[in-house]
């Protein structure tokens, strides 16, 4: 189905995760994304497992719906073709280490004069400015530097990473917002601009209350297991067959919970009267509730606590998530078909638009799959010329 | 400074985190955000600590730059004033439990006829459709249901939450993208639409390769501490004084690392020859590298490995993050001044736009701070009428 960004064309130099995740969202929402890849090599994530019949499913999941052109940006002819393509595009995206595009002579400053309406989006580890700007970065390094690991995990235990590449992904989401904001501005004035997003900045931006807590109290926020820093009880307890998460956000829910589970005596207990009391005396409260919760299964608790309106839930494994009735009803697992892999299950679009919803219906491209048709269509290049470009390793 | 969204006006019914985080981004980028709050009560997060002189810094950090109007949406007069205000706005945002706006008679279906160009954004736990739609949700519940907890933490240890409210925040970011996409569509056609984003969907969307790994292998992804599922060594090791994260993504880096740290014998060791070998034999490799890494401090390793280009980094605590030279250079910690709190440090804008960057310069509003001037300015209501509305508890 037609998406809200249909009619927009994006020239996409991004590789691996943060950049491709941005252009995946734009493609899902209807933009035409033309991915430029290095001839014969391509996006390095084409080599990331798991594979199906030799095709990377990692690559498939975040490059669905894009087109692939090979182009050697180091050659003069490649640069010229790049600019000729760019002339027909609205947005350029890249996630090279800062400095790389300048070396190619294709940085924003070099392009802005010739392409005044261009929106140029760069996503990098540390951003285009600052002392660490030109350092490389991986999600794991940024997770460590950005503080999120310091507040995730069990107190007193070794560090753990967030199980998904959260600094890549938050950077991708902020980059997408930056692009669409710049687009709105351009719709008013006709003028483009540069969007500069860093993975490190993005993690700082999502630390939310950890930052104000630190400045307000001078106490350094710590990992707390599954506990909420200022609401209690608001965490996971062992049940008879797994874990049950309970989220009791106010005193009336607390009373209802205590009565329901046979802990009435706690209601008048001065240690646990208000949320502040319960948080302060967490170490005394935790074992009391723990003892109670392990008497029933997770499913039994969800049913019984759900009936009285106490927010609670399970800890689902990935197989349970993808088979969950709500996840299915929301079409959050969808399929694409590729000639090499056959049917592949991938995540759906989490942005549900009522009128122009966009769609996930095309697989990721094979390397250079669209080189010939797009060069012909956009640049009027003949089959003979394409043959020469290929022989000269420009494409 | 003027932002790319300047000129846009948003009527904002959101409370607590996911919704307010969306409208915070829109306000940072220049939109005028008019927050409607319940008279005498307001957004419940005004009661979330930490506080400074009685003002919630939690509220401050995600409501900076917005205006506050009090309005009782349950009263007929309140509904009428709401619609009068909406007529002068581009976007409506809400994060009530699905069904609540319908009960008020202010859901998208009810409003769309009268306001055909309206962009109506709803962010909720489970979305506007599906069997769990009308269930309430907190971040912690969604983290459990959405699978991210199942892949975060140490193997064999109790579960841990991601230390920030990641399902609220990813939902906020997808909602923002939805709004801006719908805005682009509206700029072309004049027609508005509904944006429906669920926290659960958002977490599914950011699980990225965990989903394709599960479908490709039928193995359920597990928590792996700080380890990367398919790259080795790519994790944290204890150093002499803390931890050092090492991210070795290819074989040439592996050789360079081994030579540098005095583990040359590993280079020809068939157990560790390729990344696939190293990942398969992780349990044998880990103790060998561990023993080596604890011989020097984190700072020493960063200097020495940095020199040979091996990606590495520390695990920073929140105080180290906010004082980091790169974070400072990027202005990712900024200040606002409020009459009650004085200067407050809060996160900056992670989207750096070259031409219309937007700004964080105004504090969060006190409850109803802008009721009188905005009702006068937008609706031409007189001071006498405002007095009556206040007496009748409509505002």
């Amino acid at each position: 189905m037609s998406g809200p960004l249909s009619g927009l064309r994006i020239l996409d130099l991004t590789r691996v995760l943060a950049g491709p995740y941005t252009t995946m969202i734009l493609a899902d929402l209807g933009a035409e994304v033309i991915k430029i890849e290095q001839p014969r090599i391509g996006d390095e994530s084409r080599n990331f497992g798991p594979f199906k019949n030799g095709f990377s499913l990692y690559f498939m999941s975040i490059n669905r719906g894009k087109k692939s052109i090979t182009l050697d940006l180091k050659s003069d002819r490649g640069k010229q073709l790049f600019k000729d393509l760019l002339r027909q595009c609205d947005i350029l995206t890249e996630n090279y280490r800062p400095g790389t595009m300048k070396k190619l002579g294709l940085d924003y400053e070099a392009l802005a004069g010739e392409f005044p309406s261009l929106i140029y989006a760069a996503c990098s580890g540390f951003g285009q400015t600052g002392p660490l700007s030109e350092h490389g970065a991986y999600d794991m390094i940024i997770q460590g530097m950005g503080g999120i690991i310091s507040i995730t995990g069990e107190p007193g235990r070794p560090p753990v990473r967030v199980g998904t590449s959260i600094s890549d992904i938050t950077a991708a989401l902020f980059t997408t917002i930056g692009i669409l904001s710049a687009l709105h501005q351009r719709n008013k004035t006709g003028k483009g601009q540069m969007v500069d997003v860093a993975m490190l900045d993005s993690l700082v931006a999502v630390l939310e209350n950890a930052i104000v807590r630190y400045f307000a109290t001078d106490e350094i926020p710590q990992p707390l297991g599954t506990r909420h820093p200022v609401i209690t009880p608001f965490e996971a307890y062992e049940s008879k067959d797994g874990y049950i998460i309970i989220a009791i956000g106010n005193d009336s829910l607390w009373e209802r919970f205590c009565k329901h589970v046979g802990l009435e005596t706690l209601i008048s207990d001065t240690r646990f009267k208000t949320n502040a009391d319960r948080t302060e005396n967490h170490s005394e409260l935790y074992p009391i509730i723990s003892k109670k919760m392990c008497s029933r299964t997770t499913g039994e608790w969800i049913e019984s606590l759900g009936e009285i309106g106490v927010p609670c839930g399970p800890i689902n494994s990935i197989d349970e998530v993808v088979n969950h009735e709500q996840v299915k009803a929301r079409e959050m697992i969808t399929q694409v078909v590729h000639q090499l892999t056959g049917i592949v299950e991938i995540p759906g679009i989490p942005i549900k638009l009522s009128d122009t919803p966009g769609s996930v219906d095309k697989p990721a491209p094979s390397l250079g799959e669209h080189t010939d048709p797009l060069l012909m269509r956009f640049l009027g290049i003949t089959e003979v010329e394409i043959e020469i470009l290929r022989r000269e390793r420009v494409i």
Side-chain angles (χ1 to χ4, degrees), chain A:
Chain A
M1 273 179 286
S2 167
L5 306 183
S6 69
L8 278 181
R9 196 173 294 139
I10 293 155
L11 205 53
D12 182 14
L13 296 176
T14 67
R15 301 112 344 99
V16 188
L17 181 50
Y21 198 91
T22 293
T23 53
M24 171 194 78
I25 296 171
L26 299 173
D28 287 353
L29 296 174
E32 180 179 11
V33 175
I34 300 171
K35 187 177 176 84
I36 293 187
E37 301 187 75
Q38 208 181 333
R40 293 169 303 283
I41 295 174
D43 184 336
E44 49 257 62
S45 72
R46 288 185 180 274
N47 301 311
F48 294 179
F51 298 94
K52 196 169 171 188
N53 295 328
F55 198 94
S56 163
L57 299 186
Y58 180 103
F59 181 83
M60 178 74 82
S61 69
I62 50 176
N63 290 283
R64 76 263 187 114
K66 303 179 189 174
K67 290 168 182 164
S68 168
I69 283 187
T70 54
L71 198 57
D72 175 16
L73 291 177
K74 287 180 185 151
S75 72
D76 288 342
R77 186 78 177 106
K79 284 189 220 296
Q80 191 52 54
L81 289 171
F82 170 81
K83 286 191 182 177
D84 290 344
L85 284 168
L86 191 58
R87 198 159 290 118
Q88 312 212 26
C89 293
D90 301 279
I91 298 159
L92 175 65
T93 53
E94 55 102 343
N95 63 337
Y96 285 111
R97 192 185 287 213
T100 304
M101 290 295 280
K102 197 174 176 72
K103 265 184 228 152
L104 292 170
L106 301 174
D107 54 310
Y108 181 62
E109 286 66 31
L111 295 172
E114 197 174 343
F115 303 92
S117 66
L118 178 67
I119 293 168
Y120 179 118
C123 180
S124 58
F126 298 101
Q128 305 295 315
T129 57
L132 296 189
S133 176
E134 296 193 8
H135 285 241
Y138 291 89
D139 174 78
M140 184 57 200
I141 305 285
I142 302 292
Q143 283 203 27
M145 292 184 71
I148 199 158
I149 287 183
S150 79
I151 55 172
T152 300
E154 288 178 78
R157 295 281 311 173
V160 300
R161 75 187 275 266
V162 176
T164 184
S165 299
I166 199 66
S167 43
D168 275 301
I169 285 171
T170 53
L173 296 175
F174 282 119
T175 303
T176 310
I177 293 169
I179 289 170
L180 295 173
S181 302
L183 191 63
H184 180 70
Q185 173 75 25
R186 195 184 76 168
N187 284 336
K188 294 183 288 184
T189 64
K191 195 166 172 308
Q193 61 184 309
M194 180 164 187
V195 180
D196 161 21
V197 171
M199 289 158 69
L200 182 61
D201 294 354
S202 299
L203 274 196
V204 172
V206 304
L207 288 175
E208 39 116 16
N209 71 71
I211 291 193
V212 288
R213 267 189 287 141
Y214 166 68
F215 280 113
T217 63
D218 252 348
E219 284 166 26
I220 300 167
Q222 300 294 323
L224 294 169
T226 58
R227 259 185 83 187
H228 193 282
V230 296
I231 313 179
T232 309
F234 211 93
E235 63 191 307
Y237 294 89
E238 261 189 88
S239 69
K240 207 173 177 178
D241 65 342
Y243 287 91
I244 174 80
I245 294 172
I246 297 171
I248 296 182
N250 62 53
D251 296 341
S252 79
L253 272 179
W254 169 243
E255 282 191 29
R256 214 185 303 166
F257 170 77
C258 288
K259 278 181 196 152
H260 185 76
V261 302
L263 290 172
E264 295 88 345
T265 54
L266 296 187
I267 298 173
S268 55
D269 193 318
T270 53
R271 294 173 302 172
F272 311 130
K273 206 134 188 66
T274 67
N275 178 58
D277 297 331
R278 292 189 290 277
T279 301
E280 195 182 326
N281 298 305
H282 175 270
S283 61
E284 292 171 61
L285 182 58
Y286 182 79
I288 301 173
I289 299 180
S290 281
K291 200 175 157 193
K292 192 55 82 174
M293 301 317 288
C294 63
S295 66
R296 295 204 205 175
T297 65
T298 301
E300 285 164 356
W301 279 126
I302 288 174
E303 204 184 319
S304 110
L305 291 174
E307 270 169 22
I308 60 159
V310 169
C312 62
I315 294 178
N316 287 331
S317 53
I318 299 300
D319 58 321
E320 290 167 326
V321 173
V322 300
N323 291 306
H324 193 284
E325 54 171 0
Q326 182 70 14
V327 173
K328 285 185 169 176
R330 299 281 290 175
E331 298 178 3
M332 280 311 297
I333 301 296
T334 185
Q335 298 180 327
V336 288
V337 183
H338 186 276
Q339 51 180 8
L340 276 175
T341 61
I343 293 173
V344 174
E345 273 88 7
I346 56 177
I349 307 178
I351 300 162
K352 309 294 185 191
L353 294 171
S354 61
D355 202 43
T356 55
S359 58
V360 178
D361 48 14
K362 292 199 180 64
S366 296
L367 178 59
E369 185 179 335
H370 305 90
T371 306
D372 297 17
L374 288 184
L375 289 185
M376 289 194 238
R377 174 176 139 212
F378 290 140
L379 309 184
I381 292 180
T382 64
E383 279 185 57
V384 174
E385 286 172 292
I386 284 176
E387 206 38 62
I388 296 170
L389 287 170
R390 188 157 283 129
R391 210 180 315 135
E392 290 173 353
R393 306 201 144 209
V394 174
I395 58 174

